[in-house]
Amino acid sequence: MQPSSSPRPKAAQPTLGALFVSFMSIGMMSFGGGLAAWTRREVVQKRNWLDDRQFLSGYALSQLVPGATNVNLAVFIGTLMRGTSGALAAFAGLTALPLALMLTAGALYLHAQSTATAPWLSAALAGMGAVAIGLNLGTGVRLARRNLRGAVPILITAVVTIAIGIIGIPLIQVLAVMLPVSILLAWKLPGR
Amino acid sequence: MIVTLLRLAGLFGLLSMLAFGGGAGVIPDMQRAAVDKYQWMTASEFLDMFAISRAAPGPGSLIVVLIGLKAAGLAGAAVSFVAMFAPSCVAVHAVARTWHNAAQSRWRPMLEQALAPIAVGLTFASGLALMRGTEHGWLPWTVTAIATLLFSLTEINPILLLLGGAAAMLLMG
């Protein structure tokens, strides 16, 4: 496990095809959520297109802009890599197969017009959902270990985690407070 | 038909710009519009569609395709897809361009430093919020805890974890 926040040689700029294929695998493997975990694993760990700090900025900005976070993240990364065509390649890769599957499932559902989910299927899906939550939390642990140095960032992370994840305060309100606080601290205490 | 397509475009185009913090937050608004306001489907049909969209791989916001399909067939699905994703994608694309062009600026490293701890917190929060949102009994709790530990401490392939989680719920759930 190499600390990816330390400067590593950057991989060459990906081709549009490579972006498409990477995001297609991210889209198809993310059952029950956990898309951020898969995205980091693919673009930071496996492909080395971004370092952790760039990934984290992209992840935070993707939540600041409205819309599905993981679709936004794909468009953000695609844009950084290859501009507009990169954004389109990442978006198409992420959504094409899931879209086709969803249309098929929807047509079948409307045809049968019944829940049609066997009990074993919902049990299996619940199990994958429970794992997907663990993938999110595990990604948080990895990112925290590598990117949080000192008391100030750890405190900011803890406040955001508890406010949104445990108390359930709406994200927009938490960001409205914590973003200015974090920017002010980064400005007053650079390079902490 | 045209009226329905326009309603789909208006509904999802608006929700796309209101979905701060991800698509899950606007699901209740979708339900209100699709079931109560426009009466495209019953409440239980909406729940079925929600379950299908959660079970399928990929972004959960693709539920708009199912709603569009039910309301106005394939054209409805296409209109809903574009309306839900185009506005937010254009917005994030503009943000990313600005970010990219500011690579040498003095404010970008400062913002990166400020955003990092917030993003880590959001990662934890998304997992915890999912746990609060679903019925999480002792078995899913255990599965989640084991998956968290293995994924943070080892290089195990997540596919194996997903299969293991499914197997655990099948055998013991």
Side-chain angles (χ1 to χ4, degrees), chain B residues 74-85:
Chain B
L74 267 182
V79 166
S80 303
F81 180 78
V82 173
M84 188 67 202
F85 290 111

Side-chain angles (χ1 to χ4, degrees), chain A residues 1 27 31 45 57 66-68 75 79 84 103 109 113 120 123 125 127 130-131 134 136 139 142 157 165 168 171 182 189 191, chain B residues 17 19 21 45 48 55 58 61 65-66 88 92-93 97 112-114 117 121 124 126-127 132 144 148 151 154-155 161 169-170:
Chain A
M1 231 186 321
F31 284 90
Q45 262 181 290
S57 309
V75 171
T79 306
T84 305
L103 281 173
Y109 167 76
Q113 198 57 283
W120 62 267
L125 292 172
V131 170
N136 267 358
T139 301
R142 282 169 168 249
T157 297
L171 173 122
S182 192
L189 309 165
Chain B
M17 294 315 293
E45 284 173 328
D48 287 345
S61 302
V65 171
L66 297 179
S88 53
V92 80
H93 181 58
R97 289 199 89 93
E112 281 182 331
Q113 185 182 323
F124 283 124
S126 70
R132 281 192 310 126
T144 298
T148 306
F151 190 66
T154 71
E155 294 298 324
L161 291 176
M169 289 298 282
L170 278 176

Side-chain angles (χ1 to χ4, degrees), chain A residues 115-157:
Chain A
T115 324
T117 357
W120 62 267
L121 185 59
S122 47
L125 292 172
M128 294 205 279
V131 170
I133 293 173
L135 296 185
N136 267 358
L137 296 175
T139 301
V141 171
R142 282 169 168 249
L143 288 168
R145 280 213 317 247
R146 289 176 185 175
N147 298 284
L148 302 185
R149 297 275 175 274
V152 173
I154 290 173
L155 202 65
I156 293 171
T157 297

Side-chain angles (χ1 to χ4, degrees), chain B residues 81-128:
Chain B
F81 180 78
V82 173
M84 188 67 202
F85 290 111
S88 53
C89 284
V90 168
V92 80
H93 181 58
V95 170
R97 289 199 89 93
T98 311
W99 194 253
H100 187 67
N101 293 337
Q104 307 300 326
S105 76
R106 300 230 316 271
W107 56 266
R108 199 177 109 168
M110 190 189 78
L111 267 187
E112 281 182 331
Q113 185 182 323
L115 288 175
I118 288 182
V120 177
L122 291 174
T123 315
F124 283 124
S126 70
L128 294 174

Side-chain angles (χ1 to χ4, degrees), chain A residues 94-116:
Chain A
L94 186 71
T95 55
L97 284 180
L99 175 63
L101 268 176
M102 193 69 83
L103 281 173
T104 314
L108 286 175
Y109 167 76
L110 292 179
H111 186 68
Q113 198 57 283
S114 69
T115 324

Side-chain angles (χ1 to χ4, degrees), chain B residues 2 5 36-37 52 56-57 62-63 69 73 80 91-92 95-96 115 118 122 126 132 141 143 161 163 171-173:
Chain B
I2 296 291
L5 291 180
D36 303 330
K37 194 170 166 201
I52 294 173
L62 282 175
I63 189 178
L69 194 66
S80 303
V92 80
V95 170
L115 288 175
I118 288 182
L122 291 174
S126 70
R132 281 192 310 126
W141 252 103
V143 170
L161 291 176
L163 290 177
L171 297 175
M172 292 183 284

